[in-house]
Amino acid sequence: MEWTSLNDLRESYLNFFAGKGCLRHKSYPLIPQGDNSLLLIVAGMAPLKPYFTGQEVPPRKRMTTCQKCIRTGDIENVGKTARHGTFFEMLGNFSFGDYFKEEAIEWAWEYVTEVLKLPKDRLYVTVYQDDDEAEKIWHEKAGVPMDRITRMGKEDNFWEAGVDGPCGPCSEIYFDRGEKYGCGKPTCGVGCDCDRYMEFWNLVFTQYERHEDGTYTPLAQKNIDTGMGLERLAALMQGVDSIFDVDTVKAIRDKVCEIAGCEYGKEYKKDVSIRVITDHIRSVTFMAGDGVLPSNEGRGYVMRRLLRRAVRHGKLLGINGLFLKDIVKTVVDNSKHEYNELEEKYDYIVKLLSKEEANFNLTIDRGMKILEGYIDELTQKNEKVLDGEACFKLSDTYGFPIDLTREILEEKGFGVDEEGYNKAMQVQRETARAARGDSKYMGADETVFHKIDKEVTTQFTGYDRFEDDGVIDYLANDDDLIENAGCGDIVYIVAKKTPFYAESGGQAADTGVITTASGKAEVLDVQKVVGGKFAHKVRITEGAIAQGQQAHFAVDKTARLSTMRNHSCAHLLQAALRKVLGDHVHQAGQLVDRDRLRFDFSHFSAMTEEEIAKVESLVNKWIFSSLDIKMEEMPIAQAQKLGAMALFGEKYGEVVRVVTMGDGDETASIEFCGGTHLDNTSKIGLFKIVSESSVASGVRRIEAVTGSAIFKFLEENVSRLKEAARILKVNNPLEIVTRAEGVMSQIKALEKERDELASQIAEIRAKAMLENAVEVNGIKVVTAMIQNIRPDALRKMADEVKGNNPGMILVIAGVDGEKANIVCGCGKDTLARGAHAGKIVGKVAAITGGKGGGRPESAMAGVGDRFKIDEALDKVTEIIKEFVK
């Protein structure tokens, strides 16, 4: 048993099972593909579900992977112990109806004893209590003594995903770490809660089908699913106590200590923060590398929460400024051997995480002000616990972590309503779960297309043709497979070959017609369904069609060519954006159809007019250069060597299609792409950017047109120009700019005049209001509602009145068209008595369903229902009494 690095262990495992005939497959992205049951990949078998369920034919019947995984169920415990973490790598070998129990057991034993050279006398195994077969194989084939085989019950050694579906017994391998890790009890052994016997490999024998009535029947196709945590194995091989001491993880931990200027293992509180940062930065780096973006929902929320916890603990360690970017480099350097996407997207990852970190630093400042407001309210009400709804709002709306809220409150002698907070959090979780939708076993939604033989796939023949002959192999409605359909029916056609492109990769589906001897169908849409099949959604327009008929498939050529112009141009656009803005630019989504090109990309600020012009010019230069476009299939490793760009989070096979535009030094673009393209850039015609805008944090969107759509764009703009000339009363549209400048000057002069008049009117109104002041606890209070006053004039009036009357509070509602606002001003003498404009106006506005707040001396809020303004103003004196004693 030799010390072995984590990276060498990964290589050792994958090579071993590749030698057993398993297809060695690169880790799938952390974003699940076509699986509504998961936010993120949580186990090695998760991306392989379609092969286990029989929905799809696997690339090989035996596979091996090292899968990136994230689990956040115990996130609150991460850092508090050395056991918990969110990111890990899971080693696995799998069989889909190929080898079974005997091979799985013998190979596992061979790997741990002959490759890893773990001492046999320190190894133990468990089997399911009724699994005589597994026990016999372990004893007779692997040679494990009977006293080292333990039978365990269903809770420990039987795997099932739900009330129905494939399931089966498990067998686990344990390593005895020695007496110093034990509990000292005479009963200490495998299964004990202490740290002596460590389970490190689980072999699942999927051999039964569970039914809803609780019965089990043997499966026709038996599967093997094994899982072994790479970090846990590395801890065992390196003789260390936890995953945070493993070489690659320790390197990150040491970097955190270097930045924080502290030493690990000296102080528990600091160790907690060091472990949180170490673990969470691994997670968010890998998530960013797979295209996850921080947000307030779904996997984006998971990412944001992890990143903010890391930043929060950095502050607890006394780290000032942005620091995550320095640790990202260490994460990438220690993982790029296997996960080259981290190195390829390094600049992007750093920019994304740094922007989110900077935003959170601002969030903390904003959250502190809100929390201080809550603390003031608790003090005034003589209460000691902040309610759960407020805690949840701080966390969910303002991104202020609950642990930070708890800590600050405790420092000031207050507590947190944990039950109320957890209740609000549970409501959010249930909402998120409902949003993911219901799913069947292992996330596989059942559709009518599951009734088709899984071996049936659709061959796309449309790369080099617009028409083809074929067969209507299957006909279906929403509920069942059918034999025929008549005029007016909307049904689905599945064929084993088709020239129709199914919507994919952002390219819209083809439209057109399918004709048989007895009828004609208009193709409305084409989608990829289960197991590589294409479903053509059609409307029968003439006669009738039947399953099994010969058919002619004809794509709408005009629409396809327009779509191809936009798609080919999208590749040029991405290349141009990377040249102009930087290598951090990656496609974050696109839509190309016959009318337009919509391209979403990673970038962290609005493009300038100069940048837009440069991109537009570069794309048109490549179009006018008449670059040849070449499409070819090749092994994925060869494509990566060529530098072909892949999409974030996309699931690729061993063979990929690569689209190259240009050749040699004139190569403009080279990308993985399964879509349809032109054969030369000149056929795009021309390219014009219509708009550039924000889609989400760190994601921009360009809308553009190409080819004949540009003529339509020009016609529309010329028409608008003529209409503007008519409205501005100029004969020549070219004079519009001069005329518009003159009109704007007139408008500014009129606005200045209006503001001066409004100021004079405000003074008159203010004097009139003072005559109606009432006294509340020794302070003068003025309330009023004024029509046709703008918010800035309303605020100015309030400031003038409170400035001239230090012992007065005024609350004025101002109506401006359909909108209304309430302003509160507190004279300086009233502040000493407890008045606070921000809190007063917030409570008054809340009566109307509005909200707002601000500084103690002056604040404004929006009105919800304008018809409740009178009711709100009637409550002003009561509200002021709460503050002014």
Side-chain angles (χ1 to χ4, degrees):
M1 177 173 167
E2 302 177 358
W3 187 98
T4 313
S5 73
L6 180 141
N7 287 324
D8 286 345
L9 282 171
R10 184 196 302 112
E11 197 66 21
S12 158
Y13 180 91
L14 295 174
N15 281 340
F16 176 82
F17 280 99
K20 300 297 184 184
C22 294
L23 171 66
R24 174 176 173 169
H25 199 288
K26 185 176 170 63
S27 173
Y28 292 92
L30 283 166
I31 301 175
Q33 306 287 310
D35 184 350
N36 293 329
S37 68
L38 296 173
L39 283 178
L40 295 159
I41 294 298
V42 297
M45 57 75 64
L48 309 176
K49 288 179 182 180
Y51 308 145
F52 282 112
T53 58
Q55 295 173 31
E56 296 182 19
V57 178
R60 196 180 298 175
K61 286 195 169 185
R62 47 179 79 172
M63 290 177 65
T64 184
T65 64
C66 181
Q67 177 62 43
K68 301 174 282 191
C69 301
I70 286 182
R71 292 181 186 172
T72 57
D74 288 327
I75 188 172
E76 298 295 345
N77 289 319
V78 174
K80 294 178 182 176
T81 75
R83 287 181 178 181
H84 291 89
T86 57
F87 177 84
F88 64 97
E89 298 178 57
M90 184 172 281
L91 300 166
N93 58 285
F94 312 94
S95 168
F96 313 109
D98 189 38
Y99 68 83
F100 194 52
K101 203 173 291 188
E102 186 169 323
E103 294 90 340
I105 290 173
E106 288 190 52
W107 292 346
W109 190 249
E110 179 185 349
Y111 181 69
V112 298
T113 60
E114 296 182 24
V115 178
L116 298 181
K117 301 189 185 304
L118 293 176
K120 292 182 181 180
D121 61 356
R122 296 177 69 178
L123 293 170
Y124 294 78
V125 297
T126 63
V127 296
Y128 176 53
Q129 59 190 13
D130 298 331
D131 196 351
D132 298 335
E133 182 186 13
E135 182 185 74
K136 185 177 181 181
I137 297 169
W138 277 116
H139 181 57
E140 295 183 4
K141 298 289 185 179
V144 179
M146 288 298 293
D147 62 357
R148 293 182 181 276
I149 303 174
T150 303
R151 291 188 183 233
M152 300 185 88
K154 201 169 188 179
E155 185 177 333
D156 296 298
N157 278 68
F158 197 92
W159 179 88
E160 49 193 356
V163 294
D164 61 350
C167 57
C170 310
S171 187
E172 298 176 321
I173 308 177
Y174 287 74
F175 182 76
D176 180 2
R177 302 173 72 199
E179 289 184 13
K180 68 175 181 176
Y181 293 97
C183 57
K185 297 176 183 176
T187 56
C188 185
V190 170
C192 184
D193 289 336
C194 71
D195 293 334
R196 177 170 178 175
Y197 296 92
M198 182 175 79
E199 180 268 314
F200 65 94
W201 201 350
N202 187 17
L203 317 178
V204 180
F205 314 124
T206 312
Q207 62 188 91
Y208 300 114
E209 177 88 20
R210 178 187 165 115
H211 305 285
E212 290 190 14
D213 61 4
T215 61
Y216 298 84
T217 54
L219 280 173
Q221 174 182 300
K222 297 176 181 179
N223 303 320
I224 290 293
D225 161 26
T226 84
M228 175 160 57
L230 177 57
E231 291 85 355
R232 181 176 287 197
L233 177 63
L236 189 158
M237 293 298 295
Q238 295 175 18
V240 295
D241 291 343
S242 82
I243 61 171
F244 294 96
D245 300 309
V246 169
D247 61 331
T248 54
V249 185
K250 180 179 179 295
I252 303 166
R253 189 194 81 191
D254 291 345
K255 187 65 178 177
V256 175
C257 291
E258 176 192 322
I259 293 170
C262 61
E263 187 176 347
Y264 185 69
K266 295 293 184 182
E267 185 183 332
Y268 174 73
K269 272 194 171 182
K270 288 188 176 180
D271 286 353
V272 169
S273 294
I274 292 166
R275 286 192 288 261
V276 167
I277 299 168
T278 300
D279 171 77
H280 289 5
I281 193 62
R282 293 177 80 211
S283 292
V284 297
T285 298
F286 275 89
M287 291 171 84
D290 279 348
V292 181
L293 289 166
S295 70
N296 287 330
E297 58 186 17
R299 63 183 66 93
Y301 180 73
V302 173
M303 183 183 194
R304 175 162 283 168
R305 189 179 178 201
L306 292 172
L307 187 143
R308 290 182 169 186
R309 285 191 95 229
V311 174
R312 160 66 183 148
H313 281 274
K315 290 187 179 297
L316 290 178
L317 290 176
I319 302 174
N320 296 314
L322 304 182
F323 68 94
L324 294 184
K325 62 182 184 300
D326 299 318
I327 312 174
V328 169
K329 177 97 169 48
T330 307
V331 177
V332 173
D333 286 345
N334 280 276
S335 302
K336 63 186 180 184
H337 168 73
E338 180 68 17
Y339 305 107
N340 56 301
E341 65 271 15
L342 295 179
E343 189 168 37
E344 291 169 3
K345 299 179 174 75
Y346 175 76
D347 289 342
Y348 165 77
I349 293 170
V350 166
K351 287 188 178 182
L352 176 68
L353 299 187
S354 294
K355 185 173 188 293
E356 182 69 11
E357 183 182 5
N359 287 343
F360 183 50
N361 284 336
L362 296 175
T363 294
I364 286 182
D365 294 338
R366 187 168 70 245
M368 279 300 300
K369 290 179 182 175
I370 295 166
L371 183 54
E372 285 167 2
Y374 286 144
I375 291 171
D376 286 346
E377 287 182 17
L378 289 174
T379 303
Q380 290 171 8
K381 294 177 182 177
N382 198 27
E383 295 177 357
K384 287 293 183 182
V385 177
L386 183 61
D387 70 87
E389 285 290 341
C391 294
F392 181 74
K393 185 176 181 181
L394 272 169
S395 171
D396 189 56
T397 305
Y398 300 106
F400 205 67
I402 183 63
D403 53 348
L404 180 56
T405 300
R406 187 185 298 116
E407 184 174 323
I408 292 169
L409 286 171
E410 286 174 357
E411 288 171 359
K412 296 183 181 293
F414 297 95
V416 166
D417 172 17
E418 300 278 356
E419 185 178 346
Y421 173 80
N422 292 331
K423 196 175 289 183
M425 178 63 79
Q426 186 60 33
V427 169
Q428 187 205 56
R429 284 175 180 154
E430 288 171 1
T431 303
R433 193 177 297 118
R436 291 203 294 273
D438 295 329
S439 58
K440 299 292 184 183
Y441 166 69
M442 300 173 94
D445 292 321
E446 291 289 339
T447 68
V448 64
F449 306 109
H450 284 80
K451 298 179 181 181
I452 300 174
D453 185 349
K454 69 178 181 182
E455 300 289 334
V456 173
T457 58
T458 300
Q459 176 193 0
F460 176 60
T461 63
Y463 284 123
D464 56 5
R465 67 191 71 180
F466 296 98
E467 299 185 28
D468 205 351
D469 292 318
V471 176
I472 298 177
D473 293 295
Y474 297 91
L475 200 58
N477 56 28
D478 287 329
D479 303 314
D480 215 341
L481 298 178
I482 57 178
E483 294 184 357
N484 50 63
C487 192
D489 290 346
I490 294 179
V491 293
Y492 302 95
I493 292 172
V494 175
K496 292 178 184 175
K497 68 170 185 172
T498 180
F500 281 85
Y501 185 82
E503 181 182 350
S504 179
Q507 179 176 331
D510 283 331
T511 55
V513 293
I514 298 175
T515 309
T516 71
S518 58
K520 182 184 286 188
E522 176 191 4
V523 178
L524 308 172
D525 189 18
V526 189
Q527 293 291 326
K528 288 183 179 179
V529 293
V530 61
K533 303 169 184 63
F534 287 17
H536 306 71
K537 183 178 182 180
V538 303
R539 178 190 289 110
I540 313 301
T541 55
E542 295 180 21
I545 60 173
Q547 186 257 336
Q549 276 190 306
Q550 292 290 323
H552 184 70
F553 296 72
V555 172
D556 182 332
K557 185 175 179 180
T558 301
R560 164 78 81 79
L561 284 171
S562 294
T563 301
M564 286 162 66
R565 287 188 194 97
N566 286 327
H567 196 171
S568 294
C569 200
H571 283 225
L572 295 179
L573 173 58
Q574 177 166 226
L577 286 167
R578 286 171 65 83
K579 279 189 177 294
V580 173
L581 302 179
D583 290 342
H584 64 279
V585 169
H586 287 273
Q587 179 179 324
Q590 74 168 6
L591 172 63
V592 289
D593 57 22
R594 65 188 300 171
D595 299 316
R596 60 176 171 163
L597 183 173
R598 191 182 77 197
F599 189 81
D600 296 345
F601 60 99
S602 51
H603 190 52
F604 305 96
S605 60
M607 291 177 67
T608 65
E609 290 297 327
E610 183 183 7
E611 287 170 338
I612 292 172
K614 282 183 179 178
V615 167
E616 203 172 67
S617 176
L618 187 52
V619 171
N620 281 312
K621 174 191 168 188
W622 285 329
I623 291 171
F624 300 151
S625 296
S626 300
L627 303 177
D628 285 331
I629 300 175
K630 180 173 63 176
M631 291 155 283
E632 53 188 333
E633 290 188 347
M634 63 181 70
I636 191 168
Q638 182 183 343
Q640 288 168 337
K641 283 181 182 178
L642 290 173
M645 284 194 68
L647 289 181
F648 271 133
E650 189 70 22
K651 181 177 174 180
Y652 293 104
E654 292 304 302
V655 175
V656 294
R657 191 171 181 83
V658 176
V659 178
T660 307
M661 299 186 179
D663 188 33
D665 293 339
E666 292 188 10
T667 301
S669 167
I670 176 167
E671 289 187 38
F672 290 45
C673 185
T676 60
H677 288 276
L678 304 168
D679 57 12
N680 191 282
T681 60
S682 63
K683 294 183 179 179
I684 297 171
L686 196 62
F687 167 74
K688 177 66 183 173
I689 293 176
V690 175
S691 67
E692 191 271 352
S693 60
S694 172
V695 179
S697 178
V699 180
R700 308 295 300 178
R701 171 173 292 173
I702 280 178
E703 299 254 10
V705 288
T706 65
S708 58
I710 288 181
F711 291 110
K712 183 179 178 183
F713 172 76
L714 290 173
E715 286 172 0
E716 289 173 351
N717 277 275
V718 168
S719 177
R720 290 192 190 100
L721 201 62
K722 288 178 179 178
E723 181 63 10
R726 184 189 66 77
I727 293 169
L728 290 170
K729 297 179 180 178
V730 294
N731 295 322
N732 187 347
L734 298 178
E735 297 173 2
I736 284 177
V737 174
T738 304
R739 176 63 176 150
E741 287 174 344
V743 169
M744 287 307 298
S745 295
Q746 288 178 322
I747 290 172
K748 285 179 181 178
L750 289 170
E751 285 179 342
K752 185 179 179 182
E753 186 178 332
R754 179 204 60 200
D755 291 342
E756 288 173 355
L757 288 170
S759 180
Q760 293 172 16
I761 292 169
E763 285 182 27
I764 296 169
R765 285 173 169 173
K767 288 176 182 176
M769 284 189 298
L770 295 178
E771 295 175 4
N772 298 316
V774 297
E775 192 170 295
V776 177
N777 292 345
I779 286 176
K780 288 186 177 180
V781 176
V782 169
T783 61
M785 180 165 66
I786 300 174
Q787 297 288 339
N788 303 317
I789 185 169
R790 296 196 317 161
D792 53 349
L794 185 68
R795 190 186 291 276
K796 185 176 180 182
M797 178 193 297
D799 288 343
E800 285 183 1
V801 174
K802 74 173 176 63
N804 296 325
N805 298 273
M808 178 176 286
I809 297 174
L810 71 157
V811 179
I812 310 172
V815 180
D816 182 27
E818 293 296 315
K819 294 182 179 180
N821 294 280
I822 298 174
V823 69
C824 177
C826 297
K828 64 179 181 179
D829 291 349
T830 71
L831 300 177
R833 298 280 306 279
H836 190 294
K839 295 174 182 177
I840 292 170
V841 82
K843 290 202 165 198
V844 175
I847 296 170
T848 72
K851 57 184 178 180
R855 302 188 311 276
E857 67 276 10
S858 179
M860 180 177 280
V863 169
D865 183 349
R866 288 183 297 127
F867 298 103
K868 290 187 177 182
I869 290 176
D870 286 337
E871 179 186 345
L873 293 178
D874 287 342
K875 299 284 186 182
V876 168
T877 54
E878 288 180 32
I879 292 169
I880 289 175
K881 284 178 183 178
E882 295 177 22
F883 296 93
V884 180
K885 305 300 181 183

